[in-house]
Amino acid sequence: RTRSSTISSTGSNRASARITGDKVSVGTNDWGEFVRDKKLLVDKTDLLLHIMEDNNSDIIFRPRRFGKTMFLNMAHDFLNVAETEEELAERKSLFEKMSVHSADPTFVDEHCGKYPVIYLSLKDVRPTTLDQFRDLMVEAISTVIDEWMHAIFDTSKAELNFTRGRLNEKIGNMNSSIDDSVAIPKILVEYLSRYYNAKCIVLVDEFDTPVINAPEGIREEVRGYMRNLLSPVAKDNKKVRKFIMAGIDPVNFNTLGSGLNNCDPYPLHEDSDSSREDASPYQFAFGFTEEEVNTLIDN
């Protein structure tokens, strides 16, 4: 694994942790809400510089309550396409006092609000039966579809009629056909990338929750479904600019099979060693470093 020399500078910057806001808050993972309401927040936005360095598919493993969802929400807020100039200006305003802007203002202009971001959260997919698993997956995928209904229903671009038709067919059948639901993310990536003339960003939160929580009797079927859902998006998809999954257990990732073997895994035990030449850009992205804890206490 190779990374640019700028990674080491990220580590040194952590000695002077950047803290924003002054209100302690619990119970929310909405990064934008933290900034707008001036809630106490450790600024980790400089990590955006590194996740956009390449087109690799990254899989991050951290324990529960380590800030994975907050990090993905922050990436979503920064990267997701802005539909109007007013929305873009509001989005940039969230980051204008953050470390990513201080480090490279041109990066913000180049990437903020420029990509259709597909954010799939599987945190609530905790099945006890196969039928329940299918229902929960339909619900999770429906949440993604709802975010993009305005683009899916826009018939002004005739060149997208065929792809739009395929997508709507899969959406219409997904309640009755597991094969149709599993195909939706790949077709949605194709449609949105052409609709916005920009490659997609795909973020998957708690990707291993369905497998971890599935009873032994249905675990292999759940694992097979997840493999078929994620592999076409993560592996050699030229319509995807960046693919990031966050989970808990590297063992469950390894059992998903060869469909995801091109992904770069970042487990906690490797990322904790900042002295390595190939030190991960994610090593400071989750949890709090000692310097960040000290700065929080000082504040």
Side-chain angles (χ1 to χ4, degrees), residues 43-74:
D43 177 5
K44 295 175 181 282
T45 59
D46 53 329
L47 272 300
L48 290 165
L49 294 163
H50 302 300
I51 67 174
M52 297 303 290
E53 279 184 338
D54 55 45
N55 298 331
N56 295 350
S57 296
D58 297 345
I59 303 186
I60 304 154
F61 299 99
R62 292 296 185 275
R64 289 184 174 89
R65 319 311 303 169
F66 244 62
K68 299 184 295 295
T69 299
M70 178 72 87
F71 177 80
L72 293 178
N73 279 337
M74 181 263 289

Side-chain angles (χ1 to χ4, degrees), residues 130-239:
L130 196 56
D131 286 341
Q132 185 187 36
F133 168 70
R134 291 168 176 164
D135 291 342
L136 291 171
M137 284 305 306
V138 167
E139 188 174 331
I141 294 171
S142 295
T143 300
V144 176
I145 293 168
D146 287 345
E147 182 178 2
W148 295 108
M149 289 302 281
H150 63 284
I152 296 171
F153 283 152
D154 183 357
T155 59
S156 63
K157 299 184 179 183
E159 67 274 18
L160 296 179
N161 285 348
F162 178 73
T163 305
R164 186 187 305 108
R166 288 174 58 215
L167 182 58
N168 283 322
E169 179 185 4
K170 299 297 183 183
I171 292 172
N173 294 334
M174 70 176 177
N175 282 300
S176 57
S177 170
I178 196 167
D179 291 334
D180 283 311
S181 66
V182 82
I184 287 174
K186 181 182 178 182
I187 303 175
L188 184 61
V189 163
E190 179 183 350
Y191 181 82
L192 293 178
S193 65
R194 294 177 61 195
Y195 183 87
Y196 289 102
N197 194 28
K199 292 186 177 183
C200 291
I201 307 290
V202 180
L203 308 174
V204 184
D205 194 17
E206 297 201 27
F207 79 93
D208 51 358
T209 291
V211 177
I212 291 173
N213 288 273
E216 186 174 351
I218 66 170
R219 190 167 296 146
E220 282 306 312
E221 291 183 74
V222 170
R223 186 175 286 123
Y225 178 96
M226 297 307 302
R227 183 188 306 117
N228 294 334
L229 181 81
L230 299 172
S231 296
V233 180
K235 188 172 183 178
D236 301 326
N237 192 319
K238 299 187 184 305
K239 303 291 187 181

Side-chain angles (χ1 to χ4, degrees), residues 65-106:
R65 319 311 303 169
F66 244 62
K68 299 184 295 295
T69 299
M70 178 72 87
F71 177 80
L72 293 178
N73 279 337
M74 181 263 289
H76 175 275
D77 285 352
F78 182 80
L79 296 166
N80 195 34
V81 64
E83 302 284 353
T84 65
E85 289 298 323
E86 291 77 11
E87 183 182 353
L88 180 60
E90 194 275 336
R91 195 86 56 78
K92 286 184 175 180
S93 71
L94 296 176
F95 294 88
E96 64 184 3
K97 295 182 180 179
M98 297 293 170
S99 58
V100 64
H101 192 276
S102 301
D104 189 351
T106 60

